[in-house]
């Protein structure tokens, strides 16, 4: 009787082929692959774009650049509908106060709502603040940041880049993302809102988040005040100006 022998079947798999090829790679090739290090490269980019930024400086009566007196300074960041003419009108009633007022004017938005000012550059604003301090008799230990509405977001970024410039903050009808408050400098913050503002819940959330991060913050809500009226009521508060003028 003849012996019947079954021909063995050969199974081919791409995976087995890959593993087999890897096993038979020359050792020198494997060692060479392990020795290859990433090449470090440097990309250099130079921009010749000129950036200009307008700002207003209000000097108090009796200011003497050559005198020994150092004056407290308030830096004001305008809201989304602000411009130089409007800011000048807003500060007209306060020029007799014993402060140097600095008001950088937010540039017009390149896109979005026509005629609105929607983006602050915190690095440029910080350089403007340092320039004014260097050129005037400013009490560097008493430099406050006052912001209104859209200026609130600019102030959060400004304090992130230049926390050393300011001793206290006044927020009018503004809010800040809680993640940014985590890095806020530990300086006193006073928040003011109007009871009729549609964004009041966001203001309250900002205050609650600031307290959770250990910030020294208070919240005043003006009864019956809307968005614009909140700024007017706040800037007419004599107790606030006394606080800003006192030693930090």
């Amino acid at each position: 009787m003849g012996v019947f022998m079954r021909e063995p079947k050969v199974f081919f798999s791409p995976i087995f082929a890959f593993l087999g090829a890897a096993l038979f790679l020359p050792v020198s090739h494997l060692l060479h692959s392990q020795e290859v290090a990433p090449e470090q490269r440097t990309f250099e980019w130079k921009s010749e774009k000129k950036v200009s930024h307008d700002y207003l400086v209000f000097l108090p009566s009796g200011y003497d650049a050559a005198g020994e007196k150092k004056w407290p300074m308030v830096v004001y960041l305008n809201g989304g509908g602000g411009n130089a003419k409007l800011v000048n009108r807003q500060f007209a009633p306060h020029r007799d106060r014993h402060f140097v007022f600095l008001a950088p004017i937010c540039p017009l938005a390149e896109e979005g709502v026509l005629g609105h000012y929607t983006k602050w550059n915190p690095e440029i604003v910080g350089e403007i603040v340092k320039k004014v301090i260097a050129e005037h008799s400013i009490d560097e230990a008493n430099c406050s940041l006052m912001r209104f509405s859209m200026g609130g977001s600019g102030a959060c970024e400004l304090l992130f880049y230049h926390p050393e410039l300011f001793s206290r903050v006044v927020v009018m009808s503004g809010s800040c993302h809680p993640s940014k408050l985590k890095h806020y400098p530990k300086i006193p913050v006073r928040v003011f809102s109007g009871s009729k503002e549609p964004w009041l819940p966001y203001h309250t959330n900002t205050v609650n988040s600031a307290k959770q991060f250990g910030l020294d913050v208070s919240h005043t809500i003006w009864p019956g005040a809307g968005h614009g009226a909140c700024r007017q009521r706040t800037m007419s508060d004599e107790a606030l100006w006394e606080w800003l003028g006192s030693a930090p």
Side-chain angles (χ1 to χ4, degrees):
M1 172 182 268
V3 180
F4 177 77
M5 299 185 65
R6 186 186 300 270
E7 182 180 40
K9 294 184 178 180
V10 178
F11 294 91
F12 178 82
S13 171
I15 297 178
F16 292 150
F18 172 78
L19 294 176
L23 291 175
F24 289 98
L25 282 175
V27 176
S28 59
H29 179 78
L30 292 175
L31 293 177
H32 179 72
S33 300
Q34 293 174 357
E35 293 175 356
V36 175
E39 180 180 352
Q40 181 174 336
R41 301 178 180 180
T42 302
F43 173 74
E44 294 184 357
W45 176 71
K46 296 181 180 180
S47 174
E48 297 180 355
K49 182 179 179 180
K50 182 179 179 180
V51 178
S52 61
H53 202 303
D54 296 332
Y55 61 94
L56 302 175
V57 177
F58 304 90
L59 300 177
S61 59
Y63 174 85
D64 183 4
E68 297 182 358
K69 179 178 174 59
K70 298 294 184 179
W71 297 79
M73 183 168 74
V74 173
V75 179
Y76 176 76
L77 301 185
N78 62 271
N83 53 44
K85 184 181 294 185
L86 177 61
V87 172
N88 189 28
R89 187 166 66 247
Q90 291 173 346
F91 274 91
H94 306 285
R95 293 186 181 178
D96 292 335
R97 300 188 184 277
H98 298 291
F99 294 88
V100 172
F101 291 108
L102 166 61
I105 306 301
C106 189
L108 275 168
E110 296 181 359
E111 57 184 16
V113 182
L114 182 63
H116 273 60
Y117 305 76
T118 57
K119 185 171 180 58
W120 287 99
N121 186 317
E123 295 179 89
I124 294 179
V125 174
E127 293 303 317
I128 292 175
V129 174
K130 290 188 285 187
K131 174 180 173 63
V132 173
I133 290 176
E135 295 176 348
H136 297 80
S137 297
I138 304 297
D139 181 2
E140 297 186 39
N142 192 354
C143 186
S144 303
L145 180 61
M146 179 180 287
R147 54 193 181 90
F148 172 62
S149 189
M150 183 271 297
S153 60
C156 288
E157 299 288 345
L158 180 57
L159 287 166
F160 179 79
Y161 282 96
H162 302 281
E164 77 286 354
L165 291 178
F166 302 100
S167 58
R168 47 196 143 194
V169 181
V170 176
V171 180
M172 300 178 289
S173 302
S175 57
C176 183
H177 195 278
S179 63
K180 295 180 180 179
L181 290 170
K182 182 178 181 180
H183 305 286
Y184 224 71
K186 298 299 187 290
I187 57 178
V189 181
R190 291 194 176 184
V191 180
F192 296 86
S193 305
S195 64
K196 291 187 176 181
E197 291 194 76
W199 303 282
L200 179 58
Y202 297 99
H203 305 168
T204 303
N205 182 54
T206 296
V207 172
N208 293 335
S209 298
K211 290 180 178 179
Q212 290 179 356
F213 288 118
L215 298 181
D216 178 10
V217 59
S218 65
H219 192 192
T220 300
I221 301 176
W222 300 116
H227 194 57
C230 174
R231 182 195 57 77
Q232 297 172 358
R233 293 280 296 274
T234 302
M235 295 187 70
S236 300
D237 184 11
E238 292 299 327
L240 174 65
W241 290 110
E242 291 179 7
W243 177 64
L244 292 174
S246 62

